[in-house]
Amino acid sequence: MEDGSQNFNEKYGVAAADHDAPSSGQPVSNSWRDEPLTAAESSKVTEILQACKNGDREQIAALATSLGGLIEDHVRRIAWPILLGNSSADAGHTDDWQNLPVHRDEEQVKLDVHRAFVYYPTGESEKQIEGRKHELSDLITGLLRRHPCLHYFQGFHDIAQVLLLVLGADQAAPLLARLSLLRIRDYMLPTFSASESHVQLLPAIVYATDPKLCQHLARLQPYFAIAATLTLYAHDIEEYGGISRLFDFLLAHEAVISVYMYATIIMTRKKELMEFEADDEDMMYAILSKLPKPLDIEALITRTTSLFAKHPPETLPFKAWRKVSSYSVLKTTRDPNALSKQTLQEGELLHAKHAAQIKRQETLQKMTAQSRLLAYRYRKPAGAFTVAIVIGVLSLWLGRSGNGSSASSLAMVLDAKDKLLWVFSKTWTGLRL
């Protein structure tokens, strides 16, 4: 039988990868399988390449969603940059990142890279794998030094290695930057609160389709889905062909689609989950924290697409969508076509605004908790009245910073907090006398 990758290479004029040479910035291969393309697959490849030539993102997204996705890595190297977008304003990509200041998370990057490439690629020598680890380390470190606002999270290397293997080191760098700042930005904030807001949509999505199942899982916090959604499922899917196929789908759609996908997984396991009592939380959590095996990716994509069409985010119950920050990627990627035109600078600005918003919310929550504690401790009408006034003043003061994220606004908020703490102290001292 004719070798599939050789067949593809000859047909499209692509040089075959040298699997004996040390890794040197090249993608893992032109094909992830040995079988030759079928007539239908060859026809689809031609259709995808024509859509890429025309710059038709909607058509590429539709083909990436349909059976088989983008078929081959050679096609992905042309289509993924279109799906992720490419702005001329991103041209400031610097190659001399080695001379930039060290990022605070580089030690963790080293630890994670050491654990990379466990399941794929196969058929490469130890020397090649070490070369790829070096490339992966440079890819991630370069991103963090160029964009120091980003906070690395464990598992990010799983995402980066997929881009590295499919695209090669040189092409992966600018696309990883766009993915990080425009698609998974919420996961790279100073805290995980924005990441938690993603999985908090799960109960609403499940309830929209199956209220009985949602009620059965009511005691569970949906944190079981964080590892998979955080890494775009790259941490859990062990087959190279499977994860590259899934990335076709995820990159073609908005960020919230990965949450809908996990909701789909939950509902496909209904029979298994209903065998347990509603209070058997540990067992159900253990089941839901792992993807089912084997995982039928094509069926999962079809069901997720259907679920999303029937219950788009704006229609979800419990006002779930209204609770999501306007700075979250869940909302800023709502129009994938508009997303493709966003710039890295816009991504950094949204990152800063979201971080400042979270800081304000955390400050208000902390101050509210302190005031309630004081009100309970000094249960007098004057005390309760003063607490109410202070909470109101604090809310207004924090609100004056609006949705801005400038350093001056944040400084004003922190100054307000210190002044109001002083007011607390003086007020309660007077009440106790």
Side-chain angles (χ1 to χ4, degrees), residues 364 367-368 371-372 386-396 424:
L364 179 58
M367 294 299 295
T368 301
S371 65
R372 287 174 177 169
T386 303
V387 168
I389 290 176
V390 171
I391 292 177
V393 171
L394 177 63
S395 300
L396 287 172
F424 268 125

Side-chain angles (χ1 to χ4, degrees), residues 151-376:
H151 289 252
Y152 178 83
F153 61 88
Q154 285 186 270
F156 179 80
H157 72 289
D158 292 311
I159 298 173
Q161 78 175 23
V162 175
L163 294 188
L164 176 65
L165 293 175
V166 172
L167 303 171
D170 293 338
Q171 191 179 7
L175 293 188
L176 183 62
R178 291 193 62 80
L179 183 70
S180 301
L181 282 164
L182 303 176
R183 295 294 300 263
I184 60 172
R185 181 179 62 247
D186 292 3
Y187 305 149
M188 308 190 81
L189 287 161
T191 70
F192 266 124
S193 59
S195 305
E196 293 173 1
S197 71
H198 287 225
V199 296
Q200 291 295 347
L201 290 175
L202 284 171
I205 300 172
V206 174
Y207 184 87
T209 299
D210 195 331
K212 182 178 179 181
L213 177 58
C214 183
Q215 182 62 34
H216 188 69
L217 301 174
R219 296 189 182 189
L220 287 181
Q221 288 295 325
Y223 300 136
F224 50 75
I226 283 184
T229 54
L230 195 71
T231 62
L232 302 182
Y233 299 85
H235 180 72
D236 296 271
I237 295 179
E238 301 174 359
E239 299 80 23
Y240 177 69
I243 191 58
S244 56
R245 164 67 186 108
L246 188 57
F247 266 47
D248 293 341
F249 173 68
L250 295 177
L251 298 184
H253 295 270
E254 56 201 90
V256 76
I257 201 71
S258 65
V259 184
Y260 274 79
M261 177 167 282
Y262 214 97
T264 303
I265 292 171
I266 293 173
M267 288 184 281
T268 59
R269 309 191 80 168
K270 177 179 179 178
K271 182 178 180 181
E272 185 179 5
L273 293 167
M274 296 300 287
E275 292 176 356
F276 298 94
E277 297 295 329
D279 61 357
D280 200 348
E281 301 166 46
D282 291 343
M283 285 301 298
M284 290 193 292
Y285 194 97
I287 291 171
L288 291 173
S289 62
K290 297 180 180 179
L291 299 186
K293 293 184 178 181
L295 182 64
D296 187 338
I297 292 178
E298 294 297 342
L300 179 60
I301 288 173
T302 300
R303 290 171 180 165
T304 299
T305 304
S306 175
L307 175 64
F308 185 78
K310 290 179 181 177
H311 305 286
E314 292 81 4
T315 68
L316 294 177
F318 315 135
K319 299 180 180 179
W321 189 244
R322 289 178 59 186
K323 297 175 184 177
V324 176
S325 168
S326 59
Y327 303 131
S328 169
V329 295
L330 295 176
K331 288 188 173 177
T332 61
T333 64
R334 192 67 179 89
D335 180 358
N337 291 322
L339 167 68
S340 66
K341 299 175 184 177
Q342 288 181 6
T343 67
L344 299 183
Q345 290 74 17
E346 289 173 319
E348 289 184 334
L349 180 60
L350 288 167
H351 182 281
K353 288 183 175 181
H354 201 173
Q357 183 185 64
I358 291 171
K359 182 66 176 179
R360 291 194 300 273
Q361 292 170 344
E362 290 176 346
T363 299
L364 179 58
Q365 290 169 359
K366 182 179 179 181
M367 294 299 295
T368 301
Q370 289 175 342
S371 65
R372 287 174 177 169
L373 177 62
L374 289 170
Y376 176 79

Side-chain angles (χ1 to χ4, degrees), residues 23-26 97 105-106 108-121 124 127-146 152-170 172-173 176 179-180 234 247:
S23 183
S24 58
Q26 296 301 310
W97 60 265
D105 297 329
E106 289 187 28
Q108 185 59 54
V109 172
K110 292 178 183 178
L111 294 175
D112 281 4
V113 168
H114 181 69
R115 297 189 290 264
F117 305 111
V118 174
Y119 300 110
Y120 51 80
E124 292 199 338
K127 183 178 180 181
Q128 282 182 295
I129 295 298
E130 286 303 313
R132 293 202 182 279
K133 287 182 179 180
H134 180 75
E135 291 172 353
L136 182 60
S137 178
D138 284 354
L139 178 63
I140 298 173
T141 304
L143 168 75
L144 296 176
R145 291 194 186 184
R146 292 183 186 105
Y152 178 83
F153 61 88
Q154 285 186 270
F156 179 80
H157 72 289
D158 292 311
I159 298 173
Q161 78 175 23
V162 175
L163 294 188
L164 176 65
L165 293 175
V166 172
L167 303 171
D170 293 338
L176 183 62
L179 183 70
S180 301
F247 266 47

